[in-house]
Amino acid sequence: MARKPPPIDFYATTSNSLGFLTRMAFRSFTRSLERRTLPYGVSAGQWRFLRALWAEEGLTQRELSRRVGILEPAAVIAIEGLERAGFVRRERSSSDRRRIHVYLTPKARALEAELLPHIAEVNELAVRGMSEAKVAMLRTLLAQVTENLADDLSS
């Protein structure tokens, strides 16, 4: 049975808007995360890039921007900041000089073990009071929302 959408004025109340609620949750995650990463010299924006590079090093700037979910010009600026901070180095591809690959420095690699416990802590704070089933459902639902909106953007 299809879900019947609420009347338009339902969304006049911000707490009924999924976009508003996810934005507020994202902002809360960001603030809580930065409280823990800034002492290491890592902003929440930089964290996203480091996390992607910890998973796979040597990505091109284009691929890294896609994985982090920001436009390539903004990613280039962020990567330049990471380079100035001593977290990454960039190298031109030997097979295609137009491509620039991004690699972690030893300083950034060492941070992974330092920062991951803090990230786990923030995630656990976020789901405090929720059962494992609710946390699993939350992950599933957020992934579905992301997929639905990605489908809209690709059409």
Side-chain angles (χ1 to χ4, degrees):
M1 185 168 137
R3 185 186 70 78
K4 181 182 175 191
I8 298 299
D9 63 349
F10 175 81
Y11 295 106
T13 303
T14 55
S15 62
N16 291 334
S17 167
L18 294 176
F20 176 81
L21 292 171
T22 54
R23 184 171 66 86
M24 295 311 290
F26 173 75
R27 290 179 67 192
S28 295
F29 262 102
T30 299
R31 286 192 302 271
S32 190
L33 174 64
E34 276 195 334
R35 282 186 55 218
R36 291 157 174 82
T37 61
L38 280 177
Y40 297 89
V42 178
S43 71
Q46 291 172 321
W47 157 254
R48 290 188 285 264
F49 287 90
L50 291 175
R51 184 178 62 187
L53 289 166
W54 288 329
E56 184 177 355
E57 248 189 290
L59 298 170
T60 64
Q61 290 182 156
R62 175 169 287 152
E63 178 60 21
L64 189 53
S65 73
R66 190 188 66 72
R67 291 195 190 182
V68 172
I70 65 172
L71 297 175
E72 194 172 352
V76 169
I77 292 167
I79 293 166
E80 288 170 353
L82 285 163
E83 192 172 39
R84 282 192 303 277
F87 294 132
V88 300
R89 62 183 172 76
R90 296 182 292 169
E91 289 183 15
R92 286 211 179 269
S93 171
S94 58
S95 61
D96 183 346
R97 301 293 293 162
R98 295 170 296 177
R99 291 182 173 202
I100 298 174
H101 295 270
V102 182
Y103 297 90
L104 294 167
T105 63
K107 174 183 174 180
R109 273 192 216 96
L111 281 175
E112 182 177 15
E114 295 286 332
L115 294 181
L116 283 181
H118 295 295
I119 303 322
E121 179 184 14
V122 171
N123 277 271
E124 287 304 311
L125 285 170
V127 298
R128 186 174 44 210
M130 295 182 199
S131 68
E132 285 186 38
K134 282 186 177 180
V135 173
M137 179 61 75
L138 177 60
R139 284 189 178 101
T140 299
L141 293 171
L142 289 172
Q144 182 67 55
V145 166
T146 302
E147 186 178 314
N148 290 345
L149 294 173
D151 288 348
D152 177 61
L153 292 174
S154 67
S155 59

